[in-house]
Amino acid sequence: MSKRGRVLVAMSGGVDSSVAAVMLHEQGYEVIGITMKTWDYASSGGSSKETGCCSLDSINDARALAVNYGFPHFILDIRDEFGDYVIDNFVDEYIAGRTPNPCVLCNTHIKWEALIKRANKLDCEFIATGHYANIRLHENGRHVISKGRDENKDQSYVLWGVTQENLARTQFPLGSFTKKEIRQMAADMGQMELANKSESYEICFVPDNDYRAFLRHKMPDLDEKVGPGNFILSDGTVVGQHIGYPYFTIGQRKGLGIALGKPMFVIEILPESNSVMLGEEHELERAQAYVRNINLVKYASISEPMEAVTKIRYKDSGALSTITQQGDIMKVDFEHHVKGIAPGQSAVFYEGNDLIGGGFLMK
């Protein structure tokens, strides 16, 4: 075994995880590559060509790179676990009138657990991924995630659910680099096709980026079960009909199928009455939020209210707030009103660049 240790690297076939694997290999680690097969394209109801991290081309690209650099590569089939947990949750959340966060669930409950389990079998001390984030051991003894150097690519938001036990064995080789630098590294490696590989911003198991069609595919009787419902205003006034509440999300403006003479947004979803509440943009504003299923990263607990920057969506710049822990619930009081709090999405708390923790937004 290498003096630096053996590391299991999650390789999707994309430029980020590929460069991460090569970086660790060149730093003297004994690298083992692994590509996780998480879903079947045919079972998703997609109509276009298979793309993304689970496609045959991506798996072959990961394997070819490993062969080229002389380290082992395995394919791990976790379709059952992924489907049972992530996809079922995705459907259930929309049926409950919430907006799911599948990447967080996948990282927390599927990918990290699958990597650690396989790392144990292969006697790997560490696991590594191509996420743009950093990790360090804090003076309080906890492993802390902090933002990646590339602000546009920082992925700390989707990592709030990873446990301390798993973080202790995790490496993020790309945290100190920008995406541009990583692409240049791939080019310098002679991997021009990899350097120029495009990125997908879709949910991996909804390749057409049409979650409504995906819901219908998974639940063929959805339209029959739910049926049309009412668009209402905040005072209860009925202003029209919609095709069914699961097909709408908080903050949605386009594709409502109704014109009221001024811009209107979805401000609340009421599954119990199959109603979708509409309002003007200012009606999306909230001063407070509650967050469930919290996982704290930087601190074991928060005994007193503390200032934090809270992000309520991945591309959110964050808002100044005061967070107060109430058991496994976090109360968030925003300094200024924020728009579009969507139950089911993640709220993530930061102290500077450090990830305090996160959880799921409640109604």
Side-chain angles (χ1 to χ4, degrees):
M1 183 181 289
S2 162
K3 289 182 180 179
R4 302 208 68 174
R6 182 179 291 169
V7 57
L8 184 66
V9 183
M11 299 179 66
S12 67
V15 62
D16 297 328
S17 58
S18 298
V19 170
V22 173
M23 286 174 63
L24 291 169
H25 174 74
E26 293 182 343
Q27 288 171 13
Y29 287 93
E30 183 180 349
V31 170
I32 299 176
I34 192 164
T35 301
M36 288 177 278
K37 180 72 173 174
T38 56
W39 62 283
D40 278 316
Y41 186 85
S43 69
S44 73
S47 59
S48 58
K49 182 181 177 183
E50 181 176 4
T51 59
C53 62
C54 296
S55 69
L56 183 60
D57 286 345
S58 294
I59 292 172
N60 287 337
D61 288 345
R63 172 162 284 178
L65 186 86
V67 169
N68 186 46
Y69 280 87
F71 56 82
H73 175 267
F74 298 96
I75 299 171
L76 179 60
D77 188 339
I78 56 171
R79 286 173 292 181
D80 288 343
E81 299 99 306
F82 185 90
D84 289 346
Y85 199 90
V86 178
I87 294 178
D88 289 355
N89 175 271
F90 183 84
V91 174
D92 291 344
E93 286 291 277
Y94 274 113
I95 299 303
R98 297 187 287 266
T99 305
N101 222 169
C103 292
V104 169
L105 283 180
C106 183
N107 282 335
T108 305
H109 296 285
I110 304 298
K111 287 188 175 179
W112 251 260
E113 293 301 323
L115 284 170
I116 291 292
K117 183 177 179 181
R118 183 51 61 96
N120 290 339
K121 289 183 178 180
L122 294 171
D123 294 325
C124 293
E125 300 162 73
F126 309 105
I127 63 170
T129 73
H131 284 90
Y132 286 83
N134 288 295
I135 188 168
R136 73 181 192 281
L137 183 62
H138 193 270
E139 60 186 16
N140 65 8
R142 294 180 67 82
H143 291 84
V144 180
I145 295 173
S146 58
K147 294 180 181 179
R149 178 179 153 220
D150 190 331
E151 292 184 10
N152 293 321
K153 290 297 298 178
D154 170 54
Q155 292 170 298
S156 57
Y157 174 87
V158 299
L159 299 171
W160 64 262
V162 183
T163 66
Q164 284 291 303
E165 182 181 8
N166 289 346
L167 287 177
R169 297 175 63 183
T170 299
Q171 296 189 18
F172 297 129
L174 307 190
S176 301
F177 299 91
T178 66
K179 181 74 176 195
K180 183 178 180 181
E181 289 170 339
I182 295 303
R183 288 195 182 278
Q184 185 59 52
M185 287 183 192
D188 293 343
M189 290 158 46
Q191 302 285 334
M192 290 306 300
E193 185 175 344
L194 186 64
N196 297 319
K197 204 169 190 178
S198 61
E199 294 183 88
S200 173
Y201 295 98
E202 301 170 344
I203 298 170
C204 71
F205 55 88
V206 189
D208 298 322
N209 210 25
D210 184 351
Y211 84 88
R212 296 168 182 86
F214 181 79
L215 290 178
R216 289 190 179 104
H217 177 77
K218 297 301 290 184
M219 294 186 66
D221 60 348
L222 178 60
D223 290 336
E224 182 182 339
K225 281 187 173 181
V226 175
N230 291 326
F231 280 123
I232 62 173
L233 301 181
S234 56
D235 63 2
T237 302
V238 177
V239 292
Q241 276 206 321
H242 59 74
I243 58 174
Y245 74 86
Y247 303 124
F248 299 90
T249 57
I250 300 294
Q252 181 179 339
R253 174 185 171 186
K254 296 181 179 179
L256 298 179
I258 187 173
L260 297 178
K262 55 186 174 182
M264 298 295 279
F265 299 79
V266 175
I267 62 172
E268 190 171 355
I269 296 168
L270 304 164
E272 61 276 6
S273 61
N274 192 12
S275 302
V276 175
M277 188 180 295
L278 302 179
E280 296 182 62
E281 189 172 10
H282 70 87
E283 294 182 77
L284 284 167
E285 295 181 351
R286 300 287 185 272
Q288 192 177 75
Y290 286 87
V291 183
R292 61 182 170 86
N293 301 110
I294 60 170
N295 181 59
L296 293 177
V297 178
K298 188 172 184 178
Y299 306 107
S301 63
I302 298 174
S303 57
E304 300 289 337
M306 70 175 292
E307 292 185 354
V309 172
T310 299
K311 292 179 63 170
I312 59 170
R313 62 184 64 87
Y314 178 51
K315 288 299 183 181
D316 183 17
S317 59
L320 291 175
S321 61
T322 298
I323 59 174
T324 306
Q325 186 176 353
Q326 301 175 342
D328 61 354
I329 302 291
M330 191 75 78
K331 181 167 74 79
V332 185
D333 293 293
F334 295 101
E335 186 171 307
H336 303 288
H337 287 195
V338 298
K339 294 178 182 177
I341 292 177
Q345 287 284 289
S346 290
V348 181
F349 322 117
Y350 291 88
E351 184 177 46
N353 287 326
D354 291 346
L355 183 64
I356 299 171
F360 296 110
L361 288 160
M362 303 170 63
K363 273 195 173 183

